[in-house]
Amino acid sequence: MAETLSSLQDLKAATAAPQPDAPVHVQKLDKYGRAYATGKRKDAVARVWIKPGSGKITVNDRAVDVYFARPVLRMILQQPLVVAKRVGQYDLVVTVAGGGLSGQAGAVRHGLAKALTYFEPDLRTALKREGFLTRDSRVVERKKYGKKKARRSFQFSKR
């Protein structure tokens, strides 16, 4: 049962209990020296492996310039590396499935940011500040019965 506090000194002593420390993030590597993470965005799921290298990026066994042909998508994909100032220092192997190209690029960005924090835990604060470690939970709303789309009704006619 809880003890009763009779003075301010007792209250100070009770509240001065040691607070638990923040979680310590450690490096997580597989037996090949790679860091692995899964990134998600809309319906897309990306599996990302990173290892030190020359900056070669492979997406679904194709070069990144072939798979993500639009420069905007490649820019989205590179954002965690730019913020961490690690462009050209890691080789990426990515498999991505589901959704469209925009969602897939966002999923790869999310997975890459997580993998970078597993490889170098010191980068976590910079990537978290930019919002790359947050999973964007927005997904397409389901279609409801009696509606043309999720919210769009059929056109009303009086006669």
Side-chain angles (χ1 to χ4, degrees):
M1 195 77 185
E3 60 190 54
T4 53
L5 303 173
S6 58
S7 68
L8 288 175
Q9 279 73 25
D10 293 342
L11 181 63
K12 275 187 183 173
T15 57
Q19 297 294 325
D21 292 333
V24 178
H25 297 284
V26 294
Q27 190 179 43
K28 296 180 191 173
L29 301 178
D30 63 4
K31 62 182 180 180
Y32 302 109
R34 303 175 302 185
Y36 166 78
T38 305
K40 295 182 180 182
R41 170 83 170 92
K42 293 186 178 179
D43 274 342
V45 179
R47 301 183 304 159
V48 181
W49 290 268
I50 67 168
K51 63 180 180 180
S54 60
K56 182 181 172 195
I57 302 174
T58 308
V59 181
N60 290 352
D61 296 325
R62 288 189 257 173
V64 70
D65 299 335
V66 175
Y67 195 85
F68 292 115
R70 285 186 285 180
V72 172
L73 298 178
R74 288 195 300 272
M75 184 261 307
I76 289 172
L77 187 126
Q78 295 273 342
Q79 282 176 335
L81 293 171
V82 171
V83 168
K85 298 183 180 84
R86 301 290 191 274
V87 177
Q89 294 183 19
Y90 290 107
D91 288 343
L92 308 178
V93 177
V94 178
T95 58
V96 64
L101 285 176
S102 176
Q104 287 183 353
V108 172
R109 179 178 81 171
H110 183 228
L112 174 58
K114 282 171 61 175
L116 277 171
T117 60
Y118 294 152
F119 204 92
E120 294 184 58
D122 299 335
L123 296 176
R124 183 174 172 82
T125 54
L127 294 172
K128 192 163 179 66
R129 191 178 307 118
E130 294 294 325
F132 297 144
L133 296 177
T134 305
R135 199 282 204 212
D136 190 352
S137 61
R138 296 176 295 169
V139 292
V140 177
E141 190 175 344
R142 77 171 192 88
K143 184 194 175 300
K144 280 75 167 188
Y145 62 91
K147 299 278 189 180
K148 197 174 179 100
K149 296 182 358 182
R151 298 184 180 196
R152 170 89 167 93
S153 297
F154 293 101
Q155 184 171 344
F156 175 75
S157 174
K158 199 167 190 176
R159 298 181 234 294

